[in-house]
Amino acid sequence: MKVVGCCLSILSPISSNHPRSSPSSSSSSSSSSSSSAFPLHPITKRRSILFTASIVVASYLQLCPKSPSQSAIAQQLDETQQEEDRVVRLFEETSPSVVFIKDLEIINNPNNTDEVVMVDDEKAKVEGTGSGFIWDTFGHIVTNYHVVEKLATDQNGRQRCKIFLVDKNGNNLSRDGKIVGVDPSCDLAVLKVDIEGIEVKPVDIGSAQKLNVGQSCYAIGNPYGYENTLTTGVVSGLGREIPSPNGGAIRGAIQTDAAINSGNSGGPLLDSHGHVIGVNTSTFTRKGSGMSSGVNFAIPIDTVVKIVPYLIVYGTAYRDRF
């Protein structure tokens, strides 16, 4: 609107002061009109000047640099998009290494339970769920001891463990899990599945030694049975002490506000590069609510790296060998 107003104020004198033809100059006007087939009308002049002025203003606006606030907003939007893309890639690359674990019990009367699963041609009910991650290409799965405690302490042979995973091609698989070794004092267990002829993707192992409070972290697991769930947060604290299943204490735990709920136990806690920095283990819940309070804990991966090889080879932690 300002551009139009400016043009009109310039054009007004052109309309009012245009010279009129006198009778004495009729012959010259006649001759000039004969030399020009299309005389330029005053209205046409106005339109030409207005159009030219619009082009000049538009060109100026394009060449005019953005204000600092506009540049800051554009940069912020670009950084946000880059961060979202990075988290998406992190999930896509690491989620195939995370498994879904179902604790099962063989039953005689399947009509008395909600969910029934067939195991070795027998019917079983689901007693609990958890998470785990692929440790190596031989089919070893790392999880929490409390996820498979019933299987580990089974006295009558009625407990089973079903593990759901994907291969490198993205095909969904389910296998029976067998316990290789357990360490209740650190709440760790190693399972094994038969993956003959199948390629799987183990996790990338990181380190918790150089973590800083405020650093971003990500938890992948199966809370309440919802497979491949990603939650995000930060490292809220380091060097925490949490109770173990056998009544002892697990020292050096990582505290995070990344949501960890029932079914997340045993899944990986990741850093920004997709490296495992801990095993999601426990959460404080508001009394009577069953909901996470945002105070969650993971066993540092450095502890896991020390214990898991002994569980694979000896079936027990080094301190319990003799």
Side-chain angles (χ1 to χ4, degrees):
M1 297 301 292
K2 290 183 180 180
V3 173
V4 174
C6 177
C7 290
L8 289 178
S9 63
I10 294 173
L11 296 174
S12 295
I14 296 176
S15 175
S16 58
N17 297 328
H18 191 276
R20 295 183 180 181
S21 300
S22 61
S24 60
S25 61
S26 59
S27 59
S28 61
S29 300
S30 166
S31 60
S32 63
S33 62
S34 63
S35 63
S36 176
F38 301 99
L40 187 62
H41 195 276
I43 298 299
T44 306
K45 288 184 179 180
R46 286 196 196 95
R47 291 177 179 172
S48 300
I49 295 173
L50 179 61
F51 179 71
T52 304
S54 300
I55 293 176
V56 172
V57 173
S59 300
Y60 172 76
L61 291 176
Q62 288 180 351
L63 294 174
C64 184
K66 294 181 180 179
S67 66
S69 60
Q70 289 176 322
S71 300
I73 293 173
Q75 182 178 0
Q76 185 177 6
L77 291 174
D78 185 56
E79 290 176 353
T80 301
Q81 184 62 51
Q82 289 180 4
E83 174 64 14
E84 289 179 351
D85 293 341
R86 185 186 63 78
V87 175
V88 170
R89 287 195 302 271
L90 181 147
F91 176 77
E92 290 177 345
E93 292 173 0
T94 56
S95 59
S97 303
V98 182
V99 304
F100 182 25
I101 301 173
K102 286 187 177 182
D103 291 324
L104 308 171
E105 181 183 4
I106 303 298
I107 54 176
N108 296 324
N109 187 3
N111 296 325
N112 295 334
T113 185
D114 295 331
E115 186 176 357
V116 177
V117 178
M118 296 300 296
V119 180
D120 298 330
D121 296 327
E122 293 184 278
K123 293 182 179 179
K125 67 176 181 179
V126 178
E127 291 200 321
T129 61
S131 304
F133 53 88
I134 301 172
W135 182 260
D136 55 30
T137 56
F138 301 105
H140 291 111
I141 308 293
V142 173
T143 187
N144 284 138
Y145 169 76
H146 73 261
V147 171
V148 294
E149 183 174 4
K150 289 185 177 180
L151 178 62
T153 58
D154 183 23
Q155 298 294 325
N156 53 23
R158 302 183 67 84
Q159 299 294 325
R160 299 288 188 275
C161 177
K162 203 78 170 178
I163 296 179
F164 300 84
L165 66 157
V166 297
D167 62 14
K168 275 193 172 181
N169 297 321
N171 300 314
N172 294 313
L173 310 169
S174 65
R175 295 289 188 272
D176 292 335
K178 308 295 182 183
I179 289 183
V180 172
V182 297
D183 183 3
S185 62
C186 286
D187 199 9
L188 291 172
V190 175
L191 307 174
K192 194 174 189 304
V193 294
D194 180 13
I195 57 169
E196 185 177 356
I198 300 170
E199 281 191 87
V200 293
K201 183 182 180 183
V203 295
D204 292 326
I205 302 298
S207 176
Q209 292 183 355
K210 295 184 179 180
L211 290 179
N212 296 304
V213 173
Q215 191 172 326
S216 297
C217 58
Y218 309 86
I220 300 180
N222 309 282
Y224 304 110
Y226 291 101
E227 298 181 53
N228 282 332
T229 297
L230 171 70
T231 55
T232 66
V234 298
V235 175
S236 306
L238 297 167
R240 304 307 194 202
E241 186 174 298
I242 57 176
S244 66
N246 66 355
I250 302 174
R251 295 178 175 85
I254 303 167
Q255 180 185 335
T256 177
D257 65 348
I260 297 175
N261 295 288
S262 176
N264 272 114
S265 292
L269 185 68
L270 310 166
D271 63 12
S272 298
H273 302 287
H275 300 151
V276 178
I277 56 174
V279 180
N280 301 321
T281 299
S282 62
T283 180
F284 282 145
T285 59
R286 296 183 179 89
K287 189 175 181 180
S289 69
M291 297 175 60
S292 172
S293 61
V295 181
N296 312 300
F297 300 98
I299 302 168
I301 192 63
D302 304 273
T303 300
V304 180
V305 169
K306 292 177 182 178
I307 294 175
V308 165
Y310 286 99
L311 297 183
I312 293 175
V313 175
Y314 301 108
T316 184
Y318 177 81
R319 62 183 173 277
D320 301 327
R321 284 179 58 199
F322 306 105

